Amino acid sequence: MSVTPEPGLLGSQLSLFDYALRTHQENPDAPLFRDGEPYPDDEQHRGRKSRPQAPEDRRREGADVAAVLDAHFAERSAVPRDLAGAFHDLYVPIHPNDHIAAAACRVDADRVRATGRWLVQHATDRCAVTVGLALLATLWDDDDLPLIKTIGLLSNRFGPLAARALERRSWCGGSEALLWLAERVTGWGRVYVVESLCKVGSAAARPWMLRRACDGDYLNRYFAGKVATAAHLHEAITAANPDSELVDHTGLLLTIMADSGGTGITLDHYPPAAAVLQAHCEHASRLEPSVERFSIAAQLAAYLRQPSARRIAWPEGGREQVVGGYLSLLNRESWCAVARAGLAAGDHRVTWLAGALAPGLALRAFTDAVTDE
């Protein structure tokens, strides 16, 4: 099926799908700037005097949307266009919803499919698009993939349902579509999509998950441990000669998991943590120094001195050995030179390290610099 909106159906206002498609085509290999916000319907939603609120009983979320769908589908002559403005004044959940899914199950799948496709592709209001995507998330058709991927680029709003819809199609291209989308979303959208990749467990996605899943955003804490588990990090990093991209991303994963309390799997709850830390330290010692690598090694050395690190299942003397390995690396003259250059340039990563971690670790890069002054 074509994914280009039919001309003339939307009047002067752009559909959200068409907007996402055009914005994506301007820079097809990167996330949309600010997740594409503001959307074309922003004026209809920003500053509304009475914004629809979720019901006090959260179990009722989506029930009024389902009632509208039931009434619509009960009318045999009704067409999808009739729903274009039907949800604007309702609270429309952006996550998979049992009430909406049940409404879809009460109707012939062909009609649900046609309605969902039309709303996703042609609706100019985010509420209607969300309902359309929720309908498609109950189905399995692979020719919906272009629609779902494209609207999923507006991931802060549509990421949860797009990820679920692609998950359901993992057997027919959904995994590849999730991987495509994961490369092009950030923030909460990245959380939804990467978590779906972890659930799907696609072997084809593992190389990307091992090297690119985390982009350094604070929200990576929600999925870093899931990535380490689903992508078989232990197996990959303990191999003889992992590539530098894998080693660097492993270091990032480890620092995120070290600081994921309350949001995701922490290192002390990750069974292979000791072996992965040891392997990372060994492989990092063979790489050229950089500010990022210096920062990662310092953060891990500092973490390993905390009480929580003692809860990891270490072999005898293992923790001390890894701490010593990181400190030895950090105190190499070539690594110190990189850190000092970063400090002189005002690199925020190095200035933070100099104040927060360097005193406790007695790092030469900073203690010698102070002495020289």
Side-chain angles (χ1 to χ4, degrees):
M1 67 181 262
S2 169
V3 298
T4 304
E6 299 173 23
L9 284 175
L10 305 172
S12 60
Q13 190 174 8
L14 200 63
S15 74
L16 269 67
F17 174 84
D18 200 13
Y19 168 71
L21 184 61
R22 293 184 187 183
T23 309
H24 162 65
Q25 289 171 342
E26 294 172 3
N27 195 0
D29 296 322
L32 304 187
F33 178 64
R34 293 195 307 186
D35 191 54
E37 295 182 347
Y39 302 164
D41 67 343
D42 187 63
E43 199 170 309
Q44 303 169 27
H45 291 267
R46 179 169 34 90
R48 296 173 67 183
K49 292 182 179 179
S50 57
R51 187 185 301 272
Q53 300 296 317
E56 290 186 12
D57 184 350
R58 302 305 292 264
R59 295 171 299 179
R60 298 294 301 164
E61 283 186 14
D64 50 357
V65 173
V68 171
L69 288 171
D70 284 338
H72 172 81
F73 289 133
E75 180 57 57
R76 303 290 298 179
S77 61
V79 294
R81 186 196 308 264
D82 297 337
L83 292 172
F87 308 104
H88 183 69
D89 294 322
L90 302 179
Y91 176 81
V92 178
I94 66 171
H95 294 271
N97 179 267
D98 289 340
H99 291 290
I100 297 174
C105 291
R106 290 191 282 267
V107 187
D108 178 76
D110 289 339
R111 195 168 180 201
V112 172
R113 185 179 303 112
T115 303
R117 287 175 178 174
W118 192 95
L119 290 174
V120 169
Q121 192 170 358
H122 300 301
T124 59
D125 180 69
R126 67 189 67 181
C127 302
V129 176
T130 304
V131 174
L133 190 54
L135 294 177
L136 293 184
T138 67
L139 304 170
W140 292 272
D141 303 77
D142 59 350
D143 53 358
D144 295 326
L145 291 174
L147 282 175
I148 298 166
K149 286 167 49 179
T150 300
I151 202 64
L153 292 167
L154 304 177
S155 61
N156 192 50
R157 171 81 188 194
F158 302 114
L161 285 167
R164 172 62 67 86
L166 295 176
E167 264 186 62
R168 291 179 69 88
R169 293 161 173 80
S170 60
W171 60 278
C172 60
S175 296
E176 292 79 3
L178 278 169
L179 187 57
W180 181 92
L181 191 56
E183 276 276 78
R184 294 165 177 82
V185 293
T186 58
W188 278 111
R190 198 177 189 90
V191 175
Y192 305 134
V193 175
V194 172
E195 286 186 337
S196 284
L197 277 173
C198 291
K199 292 178 188 176
V200 168
S202 167
R206 284 180 199 157
W208 182 88
M209 294 169 70
L210 287 168
R211 293 166 178 81
R212 298 178 59 85
C214 294
D215 59 1
D217 189 280
Y218 177 83
L219 296 175
N220 292 171
R221 286 158 174 77
Y222 285 93
F223 60 72
K226 295 176 182 178
V227 167
T229 302
H232 301 192
L233 175 62
H234 174 224
E235 177 185 338
I237 197 62
T238 56
N241 294 297
D243 58 83
S244 60
E245 193 176 9
L246 172 59
V247 176
D248 287 338
H249 189 261
T250 297
L252 179 58
L253 273 172
L254 291 171
T255 60
I256 293 171
M257 292 172 69
D259 190 32
S260 291
T263 52
I265 299 172
T266 56
L267 282 178
D268 56 312
H269 287 88
Y270 175 57
V276 171
L277 281 159
Q278 183 177 14
H280 173 261
C281 184
E282 291 174 357
H283 294 310
S285 69
R286 304 186 186 105
L287 301 178
E288 292 297 315
S290 69
V291 167
E292 183 64 24
R293 288 169 181 163
F294 189 97
S295 173
I296 292 291
Q299 289 178 67
L300 291 174
Y303 164 76
L304 289 172
R305 289 185 165 185
Q306 296 175 9
S308 59
R310 299 177 186 273
R311 295 195 291 267
I312 293 173
W314 294 101
E316 185 175 354
R319 185 180 64 85
E320 293 78 8
Q321 180 185 5
V322 177
V323 172
Y326 281 126
L327 290 177
S328 175
L329 181 60
L330 291 163
N331 287 325
R332 286 182 188 175
E333 184 52 41
S334 59
W335 284 62
C336 289
V338 166
R340 290 170 188 147
L343 187 62
D347 189 305
H348 68 91
R349 294 167 295 182
V350 185
T351 55
W352 175 78
L353 285 174
L357 300 183
L361 296 174
L363 298 179
R364 279 188 54 225
F366 307 107
T367 56
D368 288 1
V370 171
T371 302
D372 292 342
E373 293 177 359

